[in-house]
Amino acid sequence: MGLLAGKRVFSIMALCMMVGLLLLPIVVALPSLAIGEEAPAGDAAKKDGDKVEKGRDVYYKTEGIVVGAPAPKTVDGPRDYPRYNFESRVLLWFANQQHLYYGSFVLAVPIFCMIIEFMGVVTKDKALAKRYDQLAYDFIKISLTAYSLTAILGGILIFTFLTLYPAFFSYLSGIFRPVMHIYALMFVAESGTLYIYYYGWDKMKEGFLKWIHLSMSVILNIIGTLLMFLANSWIGFMMSPAGVDEQGRYLGNIWHVIHTALWNPLNLHRILGNMAFGGGVVAAYAAYKFLASKTDEDRAHYDWMGYIAMALGVAFLIPLPFAGYWLMREVYAYRQQMGITLMGGLLAWLFIIQATMIGILFLSTNYYLWQAMGRMRGAEKYQRYIKYLVFILACGYMVFITPHTMVMTPAELKAMGGQQHPVLGNYGVMSAKNGGINVIITTTVLSFVWYMRGNKVSTVSWAKFGNIFMGIFFACAYFNIIFLAVYGYYIPANVRVGLSVPQVATTLSCLFFMFALNSVMMKGAKQLGPIEWGKISARSQYALIMLATAFTWMMGLMGYIRSSVRLFWHVNEIMRDNSPWAYTHTVGFAANMISFNVLFFWITILFVFWLGSLGAKKVPVESKAGIPSGVPQPAASH
Amino acid sequence: MGWMALAILAGLLVYFQVSISEPAAKKRAVFKTFIGIIATFLLFMAIANYKNNFYGENRLLPVSLVMITVTTFVMALYFTNLSALLKIGGLMFFVAAFLSGYGNWLPQVEGGFPPVEEKKTWDSMTPQQLADEGEKIIFGGVGKNKEQGAIGKGQCPLCHAFHAGMLGERAPNLAGLPGRGKERLEDPKYSKGNPSKREYEVKEAFPGSGTAENGQEYIAESHACPSCYVVAGYGVKGTNDKQSPMPSIHKPPISLSLAELAAVDTWMYLREGIDAPSFEEIVKSYEKFIPEADRPKQADEKPAGATSLMADGTEPIDQIFAKGQCISCHTIPGIPGAVGTIGPKLEEGTTAPQRIKDPTYKGTAKSPAEYIMESIVDPSAYVVKPFPDNTMPKVFGQKLSAGALKKIVDYLSQVKTGAPPPKI
Amino acid sequence: MSALNNPVVAVIVSLIISVGYFVFVDHYLMDMQGLDFWYLFRN
């Protein structure tokens, strides 16, 4: 056993070293690229002072030697903006969004695989371990087809850039030249690792090899995450350029170009977003398989798979707003004007849509959990209370989505210049709306608690007190949130803002304390009945699909917001967009476009799923045919 | 393309009619193809609708999606082996349709084209180009000078009228200014060449600057130091015309650069058909009255995004009052510098409820907050006696963000007569 | 422990803890932003 453990540690160390060696050239190359251009430049500057032109970094404010060409001043015409008889920007939007959907899906799924495979390895229950392992394998199988589609879409995206925005793309690739090559090399590494990981699954099933396999998933994810970071550096540069001077001339420090003001917040936000999105897509896949399956066994498996995927997705959804808050804060710190355009100006209506979407996500989650209680024997006692939860949720949702117009009536709106006006000061930080969303989240927490204790009865000696305490704590939390919301109406807006902090604190208290208390109470609890996987209603699966679709839509929406906040800049404040499409579309057009993207993604991915099911149908037939025919054959030969 | 699909289905219909002999099966097959035809029809109608209205202002696009939803559900009923897939697709179409519809239902804001803004090379412009820039600074666009309420970053039309016969209640009408400048120099009160004899609050733009010697210098001095000479009748009330309500244009919040001021002046000359002094001459006239340290830097200018608001609502309340130029005309307790007397003193916490009850009040406001909002966006709804109507510009609804308006309303509704002013 | 399982005692104890906790949270977090429960009545 000790030997085995030693071997495991050794194998992981060896693999890490291998990866380290692989990545070493890149790590070494990065600073040398930066310094290599800086060091001789420093000497040169001393030798012939005025021959070398110096520039000042727009963000880091450091001096550097100009090594790149200035950002081209484009003019509308076939040279800088060749086009079909169609809006180039919409084509690019489409290509980009599809690539991003598939990209984030294939980045997220290996992370799930890693988590689930690890759970399978560490769990003591052999049957459960096997199920986890099978689930992880299922996940990676889905992502494999999507992986090649991602690469194809990436190619389409590059061609779209090259053919429709040649001036812009050549400028960008001029600055990111080394990064783009590293990106391409890492993509090769990612593919290699993925294929070994997938095809080696059966070979590396046991003991020591399994650990190697598991550590390969870690490597896969490290490479994938780095890939995404590099790609993020490009959009980060477009939003908040650094490492170039005012004319957009590259100053020789590649790290400055990568590490822009918004790079790290974008990285975090995207990782979390990808995970939530991946969870949604896998849940939708499970729902599809559940609805299409004919046997109880299949149904049980896919029911379980959908539940796990949903739980993982929601787990990453909860910290997402905090990452978003960080990103927003950095945006304000970088350029206040940009923040205002987002939250109070041109794009603010899109945030109203986002609020609706958040509501939809939570409602679907709750609905799924209630339906999921239906497969638990013993959870019936909670069923009759659900209608009250529905009532609370509906009230919270109504308050949340109602645009608040205490001061401005429609007539006044008109007097203010109609819809052209950025009208959103009112919707900002209304304590009433905060109350609505906090009620919704608290109710979701309550639903989760009910679900977790559904078929169990606590056996701890203070069970009764625990239950009463939990009930009263929730009641007080609701009361507190609503009290603060109402209180907010009576005090002026400038001080009212402060009330949202205790409201959020109340919700988070419920989340952490009640989850903790519940799990302590349920330790070694008596089971009233088993969870009958597969006995869930079909409606719940539609809730999962709803969740996934809403996720996809929201991702498209937020991506659109992030991209269009640059307004008429290719690279913010460095390179102007002089194409005929430099204006910002209306909300309605954006919504239609997002819908189109979402539907296109889902149609293609459903097609991918369907292809997968064609392959899977053959396998059982062959294996079923193989085993019985394999057994009688020796008998016949004897 | 749609017709081909329909033709195939119609062909199938005929084929089934002929080939299947068993009546039950035949009926089923016919029924299926019939449903198929309807579904295809719906689908292609939806696609056509989508295609034709892709760019339009038409908000019926989501209807297409609803039609597709119906199609998929109808088809799911009859193609049972694919029903899960079809139902899922249908649900997704429905969700997308709902969200699209929601997006189209919201007010539609389009961020217009960015201002064509190449780096301005002021000194190489022709006088006409310079004048156009000047008109943009004053009115917000070329050719807008006769539009009611047009206003640019210079904010001049808030107080000044520019055409003969137009109302100039708060400040002199600027029609004929180039000629009048010279006359003003001869006014004994101007005290040309001897600033210390002046009776105004400020004697010189800065110590040692002296007085204007020609018409252009007079204009420059008026911009740089409004209180150096006040036209009779336009001083701050109660100061006996010793002090001007006009802010120094090169200082915040307006902060026009010397080049921009030169553009403004060039427009003033050219619109009267008079040849303007050269760019260099005008800039020089301003340099006489604005010391080096006070000159705003052209490079600091940032593109202001898609909207041109005076205040966006993120500023503290006192800055909003300053940026909106409210303080030039109104006295607002608690706001530094807000000692204007052209409009009423703003103690809306006390006065607003009284005015709503006034029998002559014809506005729509029901609460003090609504009344204040109405007074800002529609000043003529109720005019406080004895102040004349049409004095306050009607542009603040467009020029202040909702956030800024809300801050103003919040602040003013807390100001009460006889009570200490609210905290900023 | 058995005393705690008496419903009446449990309700009272829970109420004291919960109300106390939320009052504390509200007060502390509002205080950080220059707010308090009596803001409305002072103005």
Side-chain angles (χ1 to χ4, degrees):
Chain A
M1 193 62 212
L3 189 70
L4 192 66
K7 263 186 175 174
R8 279 176 189 169
V9 173
F10 175 75
S11 76
I12 291 171
M13 276 170 64
L15 267 167
C16 287
M17 263 174 71
M18 196 180 80
V19 175
L21 282 173
L22 270 173
L23 292 179
L24 194 63
I26 297 170
V27 175
V28 172
L30 270 182
S32 74
L33 276 171
I35 297 161
E37 312 237 24
E38 248 174 354
D43 293 340
K46 270 173 211 156
K47 275 174 204 159
D48 35 13
D50 45 9
K51 256 195 177 176
V52 181
E53 210 180 338
K54 281 201 165 191
R56 182 175 282 277
D57 194 318
V58 285
Y59 178 66
Y60 286 100
K61 305 290 178 207
T62 52
E63 289 251 312
I65 309 297
V66 172
V67 288
K73 293 218 183 320
T74 54
V75 283
D76 182 25
R79 187 174 58 89
D80 289 334
Y81 298 105
R83 70 197 70 155
Y84 304 105
N85 191 15
F86 198 73
E87 186 175 334
S88 299
R89 184 172 48 159
V90 168
L91 292 176
L92 194 67
W93 185 353
F94 172 72
N96 230 324
Q97 188 66 69
Q98 296 303 324
H99 177 61
L100 275 172
Y101 278 146
Y102 275 95
S104 46
F105 177 62
V106 296
L107 285 178
V109 167
I111 301 181
F112 288 156
C113 275
M114 182 178 76
I115 296 170
I116 296 169
E117 196 184 1
F118 180 74
M119 276 158 76
V121 169
V122 294
T123 195
K124 298 244 162 46
D125 184 343
K126 279 276 184 254
L128 194 62
K130 211 169 148 95
R131 262 169 82 186
Y132 275 129
D133 201 58
Q134 183 60 38
L135 187 65
Y137 186 70
D138 274 359
F139 275 16
I140 204 79
K141 202 166 69 187
I142 304 169
S143 85
L144 213 59
T145 328
Y147 185 75
S148 54
L149 262 173
T150 310
I152 294 168
L153 285 165
I156 292 176
L157 177 60
I158 289 181
F159 288 135
T160 317
F161 260 125
L162 281 176
T163 51
L164 297 180
Y165 286 89
F168 167 62
F169 196 70
S170 65
Y171 171 65
L172 200 66
S173 52
I175 285 178
F176 282 98
R177 179 171 40 89
V179 180
M180 283 184 173
H181 273 119
I182 293 170
Y183 183 81
L185 288 176
M186 286 184 70
F187 204 83
V188 174
E190 166 98 2
S191 316
T193 323
L194 181 64
Y195 287 125
I196 299 172
Y197 181 65
Y198 175 70
Y199 289 109
W201 199 291
D202 284 337
K203 286 250 157 53
M204 303 194 225
K205 216 156 54 179
E206 296 299 324
F208 174 63
L209 278 173
K210 186 72 193 166
W211 281 91
I212 293 189
H213 193 247
L214 187 59
S215 34
M216 274 187 59
S217 75
V218 178
I219 295 165
L220 182 67
N221 284 315
I222 291 172
I223 298 177
T225 310
L226 286 176
L227 263 177
M228 191 188 69
F229 284 2
L230 290 184
N232 282 351
S233 73
W234 307 332
I235 57 167
F237 178 79
M238 285 165 71
M239 280 177 87
S240 57
V244 291
D245 70 357
E246 270 188 349
Q247 295 171 301
R249 294 178 300 186
Y250 176 48
L251 298 178
N253 189 335
I254 194 79
W255 178 243
H256 281 181
V257 174
I258 296 175
H259 186 228
T260 54
L262 301 179
W263 188 51
N264 275 323
L266 274 174
N267 285 341
L268 181 70
H269 198 263
R270 272 205 158 161
I271 291 178
L272 293 174
N274 285 352
M275 301 290 287
F277 172 72
V281 175
V282 175
Y285 169 76
Y288 159 63
K289 297 292 276 184
F290 178 91
L291 291 172
S293 60
K294 303 270 189 289
T295 65
D296 282 348
E297 205 175 26
D298 278 357
R299 260 195 280 276
H301 177 69
Y302 289 115
D303 181 10
W304 183 66
M305 182 177 183
Y307 171 70
I308 299 268
M310 192 269 327
L312 281 173
V314 172
F316 286 100
L317 176 67
I318 288 171
L320 201 51
F322 299 103
Y325 176 72
W326 185 36
L327 176 59
M328 226 43 232
R329 217 185 52 185
E330 293 296 313
V331 166
Y332 267 94
Y334 172 70
R335 286 282 182 278
Q336 196 172 16
Q337 189 63 45
M338 194 183 255
I340 293 161
T341 309
L342 281 172
M343 301 301 289
L346 192 58
L347 302 173
W349 281 114
L350 297 165
F351 276 90
I352 303 288
I353 303 183
Q354 190 214 9
T356 317
M357 312 271 326
I358 290 171
I360 292 177
L361 287 180
F362 279 107
L363 289 185
S364 314
T365 310
N366 275 295
Y367 184 75
Y368 176 78
L369 286 171
W370 301 333
Q371 291 294 320
M373 275 190 243
R375 69 179 166 219
M376 273 184 203
R377 294 292 77 89
E380 291 82 1
K381 62 185 171 203
Y382 291 110
Q383 293 283 8
R384 62 199 156 102
Y385 296 112
I386 283 173
K387 53 180 175 284
Y388 303 116
L389 287 195
V390 176
F391 178 71
I392 294 172
L393 273 181
C395 290
Y397 189 55
M398 287 301 179
V399 173
F400 185 53
I401 63 165
T402 304
H404 178 64
T405 49
M406 197 153 64
V407 179
M408 263 175 279
T409 61
E412 282 164 336
L413 251 169
K414 214 174 158 202
M416 287 177 45
Q419 297 153 347
Q420 304 303 323
H421 194 274
V423 210
L424 288 143
N426 268 328
Y427 300 112
V429 220
M430 294 306 307
S431 67
K433 292 185 61 156
N434 272 327
I437 186 65
N438 279 301
V439 163
I440 292 175
I441 299 178
T442 308
T443 310
T444 312
V445 171
L446 186 58
S447 288
F448 252 112
V449 168
W450 280 4
Y451 178 79
M452 287 193 297
R453 49 165 50 207
N455 60 344
K456 294 177 189 149
V457 170
S458 176
T459 51
V460 289
S461 60
W462 44 276
K464 195 164 195 174
F465 171 69
N467 288 338
I468 290 173
F469 178 72
M470 212 177 244
I472 286 179
F473 195 85
F474 268 111
C476 286
Y478 277 122
F479 177 78
N480 194 37
I481 291 168
I482 293 165
F483 161 72
L484 288 172
V486 173
Y487 185 44
Y489 269 100
Y490 293 101
I491 56 179
N494 51 339
V495 284
R496 185 191 297 158
V497 180
L499 289 180
S500 63
V501 181
Q503 281 182 327
V504 172
T506 307
T507 308
L508 289 179
S509 304
C510 276
L511 180 70
F512 292 120
F513 294 160
M514 293 298 101
F515 272 19
L517 181 64
N518 193 52
S519 51
V520 170
M521 281 175 72
M522 290 303 136
K523 206 160 214 171
K526 190 176 77 186
Q527 289 228 341
L528 288 179
I531 300 177
E532 295 174 329
W533 294 106
K535 286 278 166 63
I536 197 167
S537 68
R539 273 170 298 165
S540 68
Q541 302 302 307
Y542 287 109
L544 284 185
I545 289 163
M546 177 98 162
L547 201 65
T549 319
F551 250 125
T552 326
W553 214 92
M554 190 147 131
M555 198 167 140
L557 178 77
M558 301 316 279
Y560 167 69
I561 294 175
R562 186 200 53 67
S563 192
S564 59
V565 73
R566 277 177 290 125
L567 301 173
F568 48 88
W569 299 95
H570 285 314
V571 177
N572 198 25
E573 293 168 19
I574 299 281
M575 185 177 178
R576 276 177 72 95
D577 182 353
N578 289 320
S579 71
W581 309 291
Y583 64 98
T584 307
H585 274 303
T586 58
V587 184
F589 181 88
N592 288 336
M593 188 64 201
I594 295 164
S595 281
F596 178 75
N597 273 330
V598 166
L599 291 172
F600 189 88
F601 169 73
W602 279 106
I603 288 171
T604 50
I605 206 154
L606 281 177
F607 183 67
V608 168
F609 291 167
W610 182 69
L611 278 182
S613 74
L614 279 186
K617 262 177 207 158
K618 273 181 199 154
V619 174
V621 175
E622 276 169 12
S623 60
K624 265 176 202 161
I627 294 161
S629 65
V631 177
Q633 255 176 13
S637 67
H638 273 289
Chain B
M1 205 182 89
W3 300 116
M4 279 194 279
L6 276 179
I8 291 171
L9 280 165
L12 271 177
L13 191 72
V14 177
Y15 172 74
F16 287 144
Q17 201 75 7
V18 179
S19 64
I20 303 174
S21 49
E22 191 201 330
K26 187 173 180 174
K27 209 172 165 188
R28 206 169 56 233
V30 168
F31 194 58
K32 267 192 184 179
T33 27
F34 188 64
I35 292 294
I37 289 172
I38 293 177
T40 321
F41 207 68
L42 269 174
L43 192 68
F44 280 105
M45 252 165 72
I47 290 172
N49 179 22
Y50 215 97
K51 207 178 142 219
N52 291 336
N53 295 322
F54 193 64
Y55 284 113
E57 281 294 295
N58 197 315
R59 297 194 180 178
L60 294 176
L61 280 187
V63 173
S64 278
L65 296 176
V66 172
M67 281 158 85
I68 297 177
T69 311
V70 174
T71 311
T72 47
F73 274 106
V74 168
M75 282 168 73
L77 281 180
Y78 295 99
F79 296 91
T80 41
N81 48 344
L82 281 177
S83 91
L85 210 54
L86 286 168
K87 277 183 194 160
I88 290 171
L91 181 74
M92 281 171 172
F93 270 102
F94 177 73
V95 173
F98 168 74
L99 290 165
S100 262
Y102 185 49
N104 280 283
W105 170 73
L106 287 172
Q108 302 296 298
V109 187
E110 186 170 273
F113 278 99
V116 181
E117 180 225 26
E118 289 304 311
K119 206 151 194 132
K120 282 176 190 138
T121 43
W122 297 95
D123 36 0
S124 64
M125 282 185 186
T126 65
Q128 189 55 49
Q129 284 172 328
L130 210 54
D132 285 349
E133 288 302 326
E135 196 178 354
K136 273 188 219 160
I137 292 164
I138 303 171
F139 299 105
V142 176
K144 282 196 170 176
N145 68 74
K146 285 203 168 126
E147 252 172 56
Q148 181 70 38
I151 187 164
K153 76 184 262 202
Q155 303 185 9
C156 324
L158 275 185
C159 299
H160 286 285
F162 285 80
H163 291 282
M166 276 183 153
L167 191 87
E169 178 68 30
R170 279 149 290 167
N173 189 316
L174 297 180
L177 176 70
R180 206 161 49 244
K182 282 179 215 124
E183 297 164 20
R184 293 267 158 82
L185 291 181
E186 305 311 322
D187 185 343
K189 279 187 172 173
Y190 185 78
S191 177
K192 182 174 155 192
N194 192 355
S196 56
K197 284 265 178 65
R198 283 176 174 174
E199 352 176 285
Y200 300 111
E201 179 137 307
V202 186
K203 310 278 185 216
E204 281 178 293
F206 64 93
S209 68
T211 67
E213 299 297 330
N214 56 37
Q216 171 52 37
E217 285 191 10
Y218 171 75
I219 299 175
E221 188 185 21
S222 315
H223 274 143
C225 176
S227 290
C228 286
Y229 172 77
V230 184
V231 177
Y234 290 106
V236 174
K237 267 186 195 131
T239 65
N240 196 21
D241 291 345
K242 296 259 180 318
Q243 194 192 341
S244 167
M246 176 166 160
S248 290
I249 305 303
H250 64 286
K251 286 185 181 158
I254 297 178
S255 302
L256 292 190
S257 69
L258 267 52
E260 286 169 325
L261 282 163
V264 167
D265 291 357
T266 310
W267 183 77
M268 299 294 297
Y269 287 101
L270 258 57
R271 68 162 187 145
E272 311 253 347
I274 303 169
D275 278 340
S278 75
F279 179 77
E280 286 76 19
E281 278 169 343
I282 301 181
V283 169
K284 217 163 168 185
S285 72
Y286 277 99
E287 280 167 356
K288 178 170 176 184
F289 297 104
I290 302 174
E292 181 83 51
D294 280 1
R295 291 172 201 160
K297 303 265 180 305
Q298 189 66 41
D300 285 348
E301 202 188 328
K302 283 263 145 53
T307 52
S308 57
L309 294 173
M310 287 175 175
D312 54 42
T314 54
E315 306 91 340
I317 182 69
D318 53 332
Q319 274 189 39
I320 295 178
F321 282 126
K323 282 187 172 177
Q325 294 298 332
C326 315
I327 59 173
S328 309
C329 300
H330 289 285
T331 298
I332 309 166
I335 300 297
V339 290
T341 48
I342 290 159
K345 192 174 180 185
L346 301 179
E347 292 174 321
E348 300 298 322
T350 307
T351 52
Q354 296 166 358
R355 293 195 187 137
I356 299 172
K357 289 192 196 103
D358 185 340
T360 60
Y361 176 71
K362 295 281 184 291
T364 56
K366 299 277 182 294
S367 68
E370 284 177 15
Y371 170 79
I372 300 168
M373 183 62 85
E374 184 183 71
S375 310
I376 300 169
V377 300
D378 183 12
S380 295
Y382 178 84
V383 183
V384 178
K385 282 168 209 130
F387 298 93
D389 192 6
N390 289 323
T391 302
M392 180 157 159
K394 299 182 172 70
V395 296
F396 292 111
Q398 284 95 36
K399 288 290 168 182
L400 297 168
S401 78
L405 285 170
K406 193 137 174 32
K407 275 191 177 173
I408 293 175
V409 171
D410 276 336
Y411 182 86
L412 290 182
S413 56
Q414 293 174 58
V415 184
K416 295 202 171 88
T417 312
K423 269 190 292 182
I424 294 173
Chain C
M1 274 303 157
S2 57
L4 271 181
N5 281 335
N6 177 337
V8 180
V9 178
V11 166
I12 292 168
V13 171
S14 314
L15 265 179
I16 290 170
I17 296 176
S18 304
V19 171
Y21 173 76
F22 284 121
V23 166
F24 172 75
V25 165
D26 285 0
H27 172 76
Y28 186 73
L29 290 176
M30 287 205 285
D31 196 47
M32 268 168 51
Q33 323 190 46
L35 255 177
D36 59 57
F37 287 117
W38 318 116
Y39 186 92
L40 175 63
F41 305 107
R42 276 192 289 111
N43 290 277

